[in-house]
Amino acid sequence: MPLQQPKLDDLDSATVEASLRSEIPIYAPEWTDHNDSDPGIAMIQLFSLLTEQIGYRLNQIPEKNYIEFLKMVGVKLQPAIPATTRMNFIISKPDKCDIFSLPKGSRINASTPAEPAPVFETDTQIDILPVQLAAMVTTQAADLRNINDVGETGPGALDPQTYIDTRYSLAWDGKSPKLKDMPVEPVSLFYESTENTHQHLWLGLAFNQQLNAGFLGARVTLTLQLDDDEQPDEEAVAQCGQVDTQLLDEDNVAYRYYRKARVGETEGKWQSLPVIGDSTDSWQKSGEIRFDVPMDMGPVADDEWLAVEDTGTDTIAHPLEGSLKTPVDNTGDKVAVSGWLHVEFINVRPKLRIRTLSFNVAPATAAQTIKNEELQRGDNSPGQQRTLANQSVLAGSLNLISLGPPPVRELRQWTQVDSFDGVSAQERAYVLDPESGQLVFGNAIHGRPPEEGERLIAQEYRYGGGKNTESDVGLVNIPNSLPPKIEAAVNIVSALGGRDTETTEEAKLRAPGEFQSQARAVTNDDFTFHAEQTPGVRVARAEVVSLHRPRPESGIKGPGLELDKVAPGVVSVLTVPDEPGLYPTPTKGMLKRVCQHLDRVRLITSEVYAAAPQYVRLFEVQVRIMAEPGYSRTALTEAISEQLKNYFHVLTGGENGEGFGFGAVIHHADLVGQVFRTPGVKRVEQLSAWYDGNTPENVDPEFIWRRQYIFKELLNVPQGDESWKNYARLLTSCPAQSHEDELIQLEEDEVPFVDTQSLTVQVL
């Protein structure tokens, strides 16, 4: 039997009033008017209400004791967490600019409807390099200067435009879209049918060619941000403990640059570019490419751009000539680009949707920095407490100093500790509660308290957070304190991970998981708890499936887990994000963060994966009902739609409202029962539904549905006194119905949702 919290006083107002009324004939038999209008009865009712209030307060004692116990064992309310993102800084004139530093804490405002609008600050100082992407070109030929294949002299009898299109593509001309708009209007590479034979990507750069400007010879980081990493992906999988590729796999991709002609040479050459690190897996995912910029990188001379020769009397110029809309000084007249980088895809040429390719990217957080905030002076008493002016202080951001009392006036540094255990009497230490901003100092036995008159100064700290700090990609774009050399700033990924301050009720629910898991994950409940606590993302629900790996790749059986194979030691965590919609689906980036968090707590012998749930789609629900008087078909259609949608939802469905179960059995009677529960429905005459497989035309073509079966059944049950659960019994007991048609047995990684757009309701 589970532990039951005692109720110290179970008297409510109705019980007390009834008890007092029953005593009237004994103590006051002459009192015969027991109506509510009688003054004596009114006094009894008042006394009963006051008694119930006293009992309620009495019953709060166990609650208070429980909270005091949580405080004693160190459970604190978690502070609000700010959203984080990555900012791309765009220079107005990169070819005329020198390198300059953008300090930590530079601010950019978000253009969101939230009040107040979130303010983002850069987390680190960044050196803004005088360089910017100016063009992206793909070709079939291995030399951008000549799009003809080896041995070819031109299109010949072919249509010249068709000949050029199959060998050359200007994916981005430097203006359409603008650099600041590219995160929300990604540039597609290798998607067109004419690009099927293209294996070469050419990146045109606009930069200051002066040797002392700061770009040539610098060690740089080129950030690649793909759109796919930020899109919900039902096939997304992340393996915990897997390290990103840091060294270049030369078998898949090769990098080169254009070296301008030297003295005595008639033309420049494409030279191999050594790469220090590449975390993009050969441009398969977002990441960074690090290399040293060669000192001899430069523009292609005008006479090196070879024309596309025609067999007739006309000569077709190189298609890149005059095509770029971002002219750069000190370059050729035909193609105004300061220099070129060449990316050759040797084995695998991915299809790409690029949000940004930039050298000037920095992380940013929706938090604000406070400097030199003076607190109340010390008074030499043990256990002193001081409170910062702001709550939800970011971890590790507080730098506390003090100035000793006269005549010494020495500058003293204080250290933040988790507790005073093991702290000596002379150490200047404090414990910070980041949620409330409260600082607690030592008691002269463990930790030295501030002296009388000692000035306490919060030299610097950051605060902020909340769910409202989240912003979509491209919306953090209003410069607040940026130098004039920066034309624009834009977030290249969505600002995610914002959470509101934890409430007392939420802390009480979290505490048992904290004590059971003890900062490690062994049981399924441990993995569920830690996955839902992942910092940086909002995980609404996690479901653990043991002994099954994700499928290595999509096939006939579709995405999801390999449920037909047992894998000892494997734990797969199905992750559902806190997002609106009928089937909230995680992104690859979200699963990667979940894995990074689980990797800290898993056993070294556990093989852990974070994967997306697989949704079974119930659609073409057709209902024939008898309605109660006064209910229209439109109103009933909306009500039935909401009832089905809510009951079968992964986050709010089920009998307890905590989400419909993974791997559950969906019986035909479940749908009938939910329709019957809808206000205004008198009787369910018929109901049919389909799931997956035979999908209608309006389904999202990007989404892959695993199920290839059909679920359709008719039901004709008269109205009676029995509850909706009895309809399931009546149906299953009917010998005319086959068991396979009555229900869907979901797999362990499957959960349903109802496509309400295809709902049809017929009212008799």
Side-chain angles (χ1 to χ4, degrees):
M1 179 178 179
L3 293 173
Q4 299 290 334
Q5 189 179 74
K7 192 172 184 180
L8 304 183
D9 195 330
D10 57 357
L11 295 178
D12 56 23
S13 61
T15 303
V16 175
E17 182 180 350
S19 177
L20 292 176
R21 282 176 178 267
S22 66
E23 300 292 327
I24 293 177
I26 300 175
Y27 294 98
E30 66 279 7
W31 186 358
T32 58
D33 185 3
H34 299 169
N35 295 313
D36 291 343
S37 59
D38 183 78
I41 296 298
M43 293 295 294
I44 287 177
Q45 292 173 340
L46 177 60
F47 178 80
S48 301
L49 291 172
L50 293 175
T51 302
E52 181 176 3
Q53 292 179 16
I54 294 173
Y56 171 78
R57 293 181 64 84
L58 182 64
N59 284 322
Q60 297 305 300
I61 294 177
E63 183 83 359
K64 181 180 185 300
N65 291 340
Y66 182 71
I67 293 174
E68 290 297 328
F69 169 75
L70 294 181
K71 292 167 62 176
M72 183 179 65
V73 297
V75 175
K76 301 177 181 179
L77 295 182
Q78 293 182 344
I81 300 176
T84 59
T85 187
R86 303 189 76 198
M87 301 298 305
N88 180 26
F89 297 97
I90 301 168
I91 309 171
S92 56
K93 296 180 179 180
D95 59 323
K96 296 181 176 62
C97 179
D98 292 339
I99 186 173
F100 63 96
S101 293
L102 187 66
K104 174 184 175 181
S106 297
R107 295 184 175 182
I108 309 96
N109 295 354
S111 55
T112 63
E115 290 293 342
V119 178
F120 286 77
E121 289 184 348
T122 54
D123 297 332
T124 60
Q125 177 176 309
I126 177 178
D127 289 333
I128 301 296
L129 296 171
V131 59
Q132 218 152 257
L133 186 68
M136 286 188 282
V137 180
T138 65
T139 65
Q140 176 180 291
D143 192 334
L144 176 62
R145 298 171 295 182
N146 182 12
I147 70 168
N148 297 325
D149 287 335
V150 177
E152 286 186 329
T153 58
L158 296 177
D159 174 60
Q161 191 59 51
T162 302
Y163 176 85
I164 293 174
D165 290 343
T166 56
R167 290 159 176 77
Y168 161 93
S169 174
L170 178 57
W172 184 63
D173 62 358
K175 285 293 185 181
S176 301
K178 295 180 179 180
L179 271 175
K180 64 179 181 179
D181 298 328
M182 194 180 292
V184 294
E185 301 178 32
V187 175
S188 299
L189 299 179
F190 308 115
Y191 270 85
E192 299 294 333
S193 58
T194 54
E195 300 173 345
N196 288 337
T197 60
H198 294 192
Q199 294 292 123
H200 302 271
L201 171 63
W202 311 86
L203 305 178
L205 304 179
F207 59 84
N208 191 330
Q209 300 178 52
Q210 299 295 322
L211 297 180
N212 60 352
F215 178 66
L216 293 177
R219 177 162 292 183
V220 299
T221 299
L222 177 61
T223 299
L224 168 67
Q225 179 60 49
L226 302 178
D227 186 57
D228 297 343
D229 291 352
E230 286 282 298
Q231 299 302 319
D233 186 356
E234 71 281 358
E235 296 185 89
V237 174
Q239 182 177 357
C240 302
Q242 192 175 45
V243 181
D244 286 344
T245 303
Q246 294 297 326
L247 297 178
L248 176 65
D249 185 352
E250 296 181 354
D251 293 336
N252 290 330
V253 67
Y255 294 92
R256 298 181 182 88
Y257 75 98
Y258 177 77
R259 175 181 64 77
K260 57 187 177 182
R262 297 172 180 171
V263 177
E265 293 181 340
T266 58
E267 63 178 25
K269 294 182 179 180
W270 297 105
Q271 201 92 347
S272 177
L273 177 66
V275 173
I276 300 170
D278 184 353
S279 61
T280 66
D281 281 354
S282 299
W283 292 57
Q284 296 284 342
K285 63 180 183 180
S286 300
E288 297 177 340
I289 306 162
R290 290 182 58 79
F291 59 92
D292 292 327
V293 181
M295 297 293 292
D296 53 0
M297 178 187 289
V300 177
D302 286 347
D303 57 0
E304 295 184 37
W305 297 103
L306 300 183
V308 181
E309 300 293 337
D310 194 2
T311 55
T313 57
D314 297 331
T315 298
I316 304 174
H318 190 287
L320 193 57
E321 294 183 16
S323 298
L324 301 184
K325 300 179 180 180
T326 54
V328 181
D329 290 346
N330 301 318
T331 59
D333 295 330
K334 292 183 177 180
V335 180
V337 171
S338 303
W340 291 92
L341 291 178
H342 175 209
V343 184
E344 180 183 3
F345 300 101
I346 300 172
N347 295 326
V348 179
R349 185 208 13 93
K351 291 184 177 180
L352 305 171
R353 286 177 56 81
I354 294 179
R355 286 187 182 179
T356 193
L357 269 169
S358 177
F359 296 91
N360 298 316
V361 174
T365 301
Q368 298 188 51
T369 300
I370 300 297
K371 294 186 178 182
N372 299 323
E373 179 182 309
E374 189 160 353
L375 308 179
Q376 182 182 347
R377 298 194 180 198
D379 55 18
N380 206 35
S381 63
Q384 298 175 50
Q385 297 183 4
R386 301 292 183 266
T387 303
L388 299 172
N390 301 283
Q391 299 177 340
S392 294
V393 180
L394 270 63
S397 67
L398 175 60
N399 182 27
L400 183 68
I401 61 173
S402 66
L403 290 175
V408 181
R409 292 291 186 184
E410 64 175 335
L411 185 65
R412 299 165 177 174
Q413 184 71 47
W414 292 77
T415 303
Q416 181 178 336
V417 295
D418 294 331
S419 71
F420 290 108
D421 293 340
V423 177
S424 68
Q426 297 303 316
E427 288 186 65
R428 292 186 173 89
Y430 65 92
V431 174
L432 169 67
D433 180 0
E435 185 273 329
S436 63
Q438 185 181 75
L439 287 74
V440 179
F441 296 90
N443 58 3
I445 300 175
H446 295 285
R448 182 174 182 172
E451 300 176 22
E452 182 73 33
E454 186 172 0
R455 293 178 59 190
L456 296 170
I457 302 172
Q459 191 175 34
E460 181 178 319
Y461 69 91
R462 302 178 76 188
Y463 77 96
K467 187 176 179 179
N468 64 342
T469 60
E470 295 190 340
S471 301
D472 289 337
V473 60
L475 291 184
V476 185
N477 55 14
I478 304 176
N480 188 320
S481 59
L482 300 183
K485 296 179 181 179
I486 296 179
E487 181 182 76
V490 61
N491 60 317
I492 60 177
V493 295
S494 299
L496 299 176
R499 290 186 183 181
D500 294 328
T501 303
E502 187 178 41
T503 64
T504 302
E505 292 300 319
E506 291 170 340
K508 288 161 57 180
L509 293 175
R510 174 175 57 86
E514 293 275 9
F515 292 127
Q516 292 171 11
S517 67
Q518 294 295 314
R520 87 283 182 265
V522 178
T523 67
N524 286 0
D525 289 342
D526 293 341
F527 280 103
T528 298
F529 171 77
H530 285 291
E532 292 176 350
Q533 298 297 317
T534 302
V537 292
R538 286 186 291 106
V539 179
R541 182 180 177 186
E543 187 77 13
V544 176
V545 179
S546 303
L547 306 179
H548 298 289
R549 289 188 181 93
R551 297 187 186 278
E553 59 184 14
S554 296
I556 297 176
K557 295 183 179 180
L561 305 182
E562 283 187 304
L563 298 173
D564 53 343
K565 295 182 180 180
V566 176
V570 172
V571 177
S572 293
V573 182
L574 306 176
T575 305
V576 184
D578 184 11
E579 298 291 344
L582 294 177
Y583 45 93
T585 305
T587 65
K588 294 179 182 178
M590 179 181 185
L591 295 184
K592 184 177 178 181
R593 290 203 178 191
V594 172
C595 258
Q596 289 173 344
H597 182 61
L598 294 180
D599 196 43
R600 302 187 185 102
V601 297
R602 70 180 177 94
L603 299 180
I604 194 171
T605 55
S606 300
E607 183 180 341
V608 183
Y609 297 87
Q614 301 303 308
Y615 289 96
V616 172
R617 175 173 171 270
L618 302 176
F619 64 95
E620 291 291 348
V621 180
Q622 299 180 6
V623 186
R624 182 183 297 175
I625 62 174
M626 181 72 73
E628 297 282 358
Y631 287 88
S632 66
R633 187 183 70 85
T634 301
L636 285 173
T637 300
E638 293 179 357
I640 293 173
S641 174
E642 287 299 313
Q643 183 73 18
L644 293 176
K645 182 172 64 175
N646 292 336
Y647 180 75
F648 289 101
H649 197 274
V650 66
L651 298 181
T652 60
E655 295 297 331
N656 56 7
E658 297 180 357
F660 200 88
F662 282 83
V665 176
I666 305 178
H667 203 284
H668 183 271
D670 292 333
L671 283 86
V672 176
Q674 294 306 312
V675 174
F676 191 63
R677 280 182 171 183
T678 307
V681 176
K682 183 177 182 180
R683 185 168 67 244
V684 180
E685 297 287 349
Q686 283 186 336
L687 185 146
S688 64
W690 296 70
Y691 67 94
D692 286 346
N694 191 6
T695 55
E697 295 181 357
N698 62 350
V699 68
D700 184 358
E702 298 294 328
F703 209 94
I704 298 175
W705 310 101
R706 176 198 289 174
R707 289 282 184 155
Q708 301 297 324
Y709 312 106
I710 299 177
F711 172 66
K712 188 174 184 179
E713 186 56 61
L714 297 177
L715 181 68
N716 195 348
V717 180
Q719 170 73 18
D721 296 331
E722 295 168 310
S723 68
W724 70 273
K725 292 184 178 180
N726 290 330
Y727 284 89
R729 177 180 57 78
L730 290 173
L731 181 63
T732 54
S733 64
C734 179
Q737 308 290 345
S738 66
H739 182 70
E740 292 181 353
D741 290 335
E742 292 175 1
L743 56 85
I744 309 171
Q745 176 61 63
L746 299 180
E747 301 286 0
E748 290 182 78
D749 59 349
E750 291 181 335
V751 68
F753 77 94
V754 178
D755 180 3
T756 55
Q757 292 184 348
S758 59
L759 172 68
T760 303
V761 176
Q762 182 180 0
V763 180
L764 300 179

